[in-house]
Amino acid sequence: MVFWEGYVSDEAMGIIAPMVVYWVYAGFYQLVLPSLDEYRLHSRKEEDEKNLVPFHSVVKGVLIQQLLQATIGFSIFLLTSTTTSTTLAQRQQPSIQHQIAQIILAMLIVDAWQYFVHRYMHHNKFLYRKVHSQHHRLVVPYAVGTLYSHPVEAVFDTVGGGVAFILSGMTPRTSVFFFSFHIVKTVDDHCGMLLPWNLVPRVFYNNAAYHDVHHQLQGSKYNYSQAFFSIWDRVCGTHMPYVVVKRDGAGYEARLVRRVG
């Protein structure tokens, strides 16, 4: 039993919930926490000076990406649905343990997809210049800009989530929780802050500091892994070690550790 049962279908909630979670969670970072300079990885001055795209363009880009996500998500649910009407049997959920296993499998699939697509977009000069460089216009990432990217990249990312949904065998209802958590984790990775009370970046080594290294010039060919684990960077030799140190004035800094060889 879930709170939306009887009001909207699981498929509709699987599309709506991640978008709502995005704006609520990213908005919390953007509107409630901007004054907490002691937890920022970059100063607000750096954010203003280094970023190459205005805030209103970022919001517009995110809305376009979410429209694409909704369209592709609707198509995937339509293609994988066995009937146009939701029956009690279709609402039957597997055990909690089974759902957790499906979510972990989906996380691993998303990580593999994201790593190799992301890495290829950096190494293919045409794709980087025409597509992926749009995301890197945010040299200093912030929460609302998490999904700011080129529409082509948005399609690749969304298809990767669809592949994870299909291969993991999760139901639309389970996908609501998976994709909502995926959004929370991805916003955390781009928020540019290390909050002591936020347990998500403490549980996952692949966090805001890890991804901040990738947005730095020296680290742009490293730390490709998104969104949950750093497995593929370590397997493929693209992991850039770093340490988090206190920055002069206020806040933190992800400082690169010189690689040997």
Side-chain angles (χ1 to χ4, degrees), residues 3-248:
F3 70 86
W4 64 83
E5 190 167 350
Y7 299 97
V8 296
S9 67
D10 293 340
E11 290 84 355
M13 187 56 69
I15 294 170
I16 296 168
M19 292 191 289
V20 173
V21 168
Y22 182 87
W23 289 110
V24 171
Y25 195 56
F28 176 75
Y29 272 113
Q30 211 72 36
L31 300 175
V32 179
L33 303 180
S35 63
L36 299 181
D37 291 340
E38 65 268 33
Y39 303 123
R40 293 173 64 99
L41 287 166
H42 296 272
S43 68
R44 281 179 284 178
K45 181 180 179 182
E46 282 183 295
E47 183 178 308
D48 293 336
E49 291 179 349
K50 291 184 177 182
N51 286 341
L52 306 175
V53 58
F55 184 77
H56 67 87
S57 295
V58 170
V59 171
K60 178 181 176 182
V62 171
L63 290 172
I64 291 172
Q65 169 141 337
Q66 290 186 321
L67 177 61
L68 289 169
Q69 287 178 333
T71 302
I72 295 171
F74 175 79
S75 300
I76 290 172
F77 284 136
L78 190 64
L79 290 171
T80 57
S81 177
T82 56
T83 180
T84 55
S85 61
T86 305
T87 65
L88 184 62
Q90 284 179 295
R91 290 177 184 269
Q92 188 72 35
Q93 287 287 99
S95 67
I96 296 296
Q97 295 89 336
H98 193 122
Q99 291 180 71
I100 291 173
Q102 290 175 324
I103 288 172
I104 293 172
L105 176 58
M107 291 165 70
L108 294 172
I109 293 169
V110 164
D111 273 8
W113 180 282
Q114 290 275 16
Y115 176 84
F116 289 104
V117 169
H118 187 192
R119 181 175 176 176
Y120 185 69
M121 284 193 175
H122 270 271
H123 286 265
N124 184 297
K125 293 181 179 179
F126 175 82
L127 285 177
Y128 183 81
R129 187 173 64 254
K130 297 294 185 180
V131 178
H132 188 59
S133 63
Q134 179 166 323
H135 179 69
H136 280 270
R137 291 176 188 172
L138 290 179
V139 180
V140 178
Y142 54 79
V144 167
T146 297
L147 292 182
Y148 177 69
S149 62
H150 192 281
V152 170
E153 184 169 359
V155 170
F156 275 111
D157 289 347
T158 307
V159 169
V163 170
F165 166 73
I166 293 169
L167 294 184
S168 66
M170 67 174 64
T171 64
R173 183 167 295 186
T174 303
S175 79
V176 175
F177 299 100
F178 170 66
F179 288 118
S180 294
F181 177 66
H182 189 348
I183 286 294
V184 168
K185 177 64 174 61
T186 307
V187 169
D188 274 334
D189 292 348
H190 289 81
C191 70
M193 304 181 77
L194 293 176
L195 302 173
W197 58 83
N198 188 351
L199 297 180
V200 174
R202 294 181 178 275
V203 172
F204 292 88
Y205 173 72
N206 187 346
N207 54 28
Y210 188 91
H211 195 63
D212 182 71
V213 168
H214 177 71
H215 276 258
Q216 296 181 31
L217 182 60
Q218 289 179 301
S220 63
K221 294 296 178 70
Y222 301 94
N223 293 13
Y224 296 111
S225 289
Q226 298 180 79
F228 300 103
F229 309 109
S230 60
I231 297 170
W232 287 106
D233 274 319
R234 295 177 186 278
V235 170
C236 297
T238 54
H239 173 252
M240 171 66 78
Y242 64 93
V243 293
V244 175
V245 298
K246 291 291 289 184
R247 181 162 33 87
D248 291 340

